[in-house]
Amino acid sequence: MRARLAFRLTAVLSLVSSLAWATPAETEQALAAGHAALARYKEGKWQEALAKFREADRLAHSPVFTLLSARCERELGQLLAARATFQRVAEEPLPHDAPAAWHSAVADAKRELGELEGRIPRLVVRVEGTDAARARVSLDGRTLRAAELAAPIELDPGKHTLIARLDERQARREIVVSAGREREVVLRLESSTPSSAPPSPGSGAPDQPAQASRSYLAPGIAFGVGAAGVVAGTVLGVLASSRASEIKSRCQGNSCLASDAEEGASATRLANASTIAFVLGGVGVGAGVTLLMLPNGTGPERSAAARFAVPF
């Protein structure tokens, strides 16, 4: 078959120079492109051969070039494009003095067109689910019209992507179709499911207690005051004890010097201040512990507890 093809193409190329609409330069370019295309066709390099046949046909049209382009498309699996190209050759009107190779190309196109029709895959798409009739269906990114969905869809063999969308619902299928086969695919639009996200304010959901992040400022202040009280009580107690010891060292039994009366009163005041400081320190530490143990919250109960626990 390829030997017969080479003979026909050689005959066509020998006639290119007689085409009235081709300039000498275009004729030379068409001859070069035709020979290059034939070489790649024999090697099975369909994509390269297709590009060269199209180039030759653009420079100097021949039904043979167009027929060979259709065959390349067929070999590449581009069956829909090949059918359109075969159809164009089969319907081409020929002049009365057209070369025999042109008549043979038209006859071959008609025969091969009939053979190709049976190889084109067909796909039946059904969409199921609530309001499925309103769904928008796309095939390989192209939206299908209602009329297309009502009949089997013709497509090239290979992998394809089908998507049906309706509102927030979507059904997606990756399919592979084979030449000469008809296939049915069902896209099911599942019912929408309630969102698991927490209700937003004002959405009508029951109010939930507000949860605030715990603040350690108030407990920190309470512990700080408590620590300061303990330190101050300790220092004042040491000073009071030291002065009392000095006064006692100068006493004779229960008789003390009159000049030490003021020192004794000062020691007593220091001791009283130490006691007060220790009390405040204990209250501060207790308030800090209480604040840490309270439930985390921002309501009035928390505020009242805080006010009760910190009396200063």
Side-chain angles (χ1 to χ4, degrees), residues 248-262:
K248 189 174 182 180
S249 66
R250 293 192 290 271
C251 293
Q252 297 294 329
N254 292 328
S255 299
C256 297
L257 298 175
S259 58
D260 287 335
E262 182 61 31

Side-chain angles (χ1 to χ4, degrees), residues 59 65 76 100 135 151 154 194 207 305:
L59 293 168
F65 289 147
L76 289 168
E154 297 179 333
D207 293 337

Side-chain angles (χ1 to χ4, degrees), residues 40 62 73 114 134 144 157 161 165 182 190 202 214 220 230 233 237:
R40 286 162 176 76
S62 164
E73 291 169 334
R134 296 194 300 109
L144 299 176
T161 301
R165 291 187 179 92
E182 180 173 305
E190 301 296 339
R214 178 177 293 279
V230 172

Side-chain angles (χ1 to χ4, degrees), residues 225 228-230 232-233 236 269-283:
V225 172
V230 172
L236 292 173
R269 288 194 297 269
L270 288 174
N272 292 336
S274 174
T275 300
I276 294 172
F278 274 121
V279 171
L280 292 176
V283 172

Side-chain angles (χ1 to χ4, degrees), residues 173-189:
R173 289 283 303 273
E174 301 285 345
I175 61 172
V176 177
V177 295
S178 304
R181 301 291 298 275
E182 180 173 305
R183 179 176 176 180
E184 179 177 310
V185 175
V186 177
L187 299 172
R188 290 185 176 85
L189 292 168

Side-chain angles (χ1 to χ4, degrees), residues 281-303:
V283 172
V285 172
V289 172
T290 302
L291 290 172
L292 286 178
M293 294 177 65
L294 285 174
N296 185 33
T298 58
E301 296 82 4
R302 172 61 186 271
S303 300

Side-chain angles (χ1 to χ4, degrees), residues 115-167:
E115 297 171 354
L116 182 65
E117 285 289 352
R119 295 187 56 194
I120 296 177
R122 287 167 174 79
L123 182 67
V124 177
V125 180
R126 291 196 297 111
V127 183
E128 296 182 351
T130 306
D131 295 330
R134 296 194 300 109
R136 186 174 74 255
V137 181
S138 64
L139 173 64
D140 299 330
R142 182 180 69 85
T143 300
L144 299 176
R145 301 186 304 274
E148 293 179 282
L149 291 170
I153 302 169
E154 297 179 333
L155 68 171
D156 289 327
K159 184 177 180 180
H160 300 274
T161 301
L162 274 168
I163 300 177
R165 291 187 179 92
L166 178 59
D167 300 329

Side-chain angles (χ1 to χ4, degrees), residues 20-32:
W21 55 85
T23 66
E26 290 173 337
T27 299
E28 291 298 324
Q29 294 175 16
L31 286 170

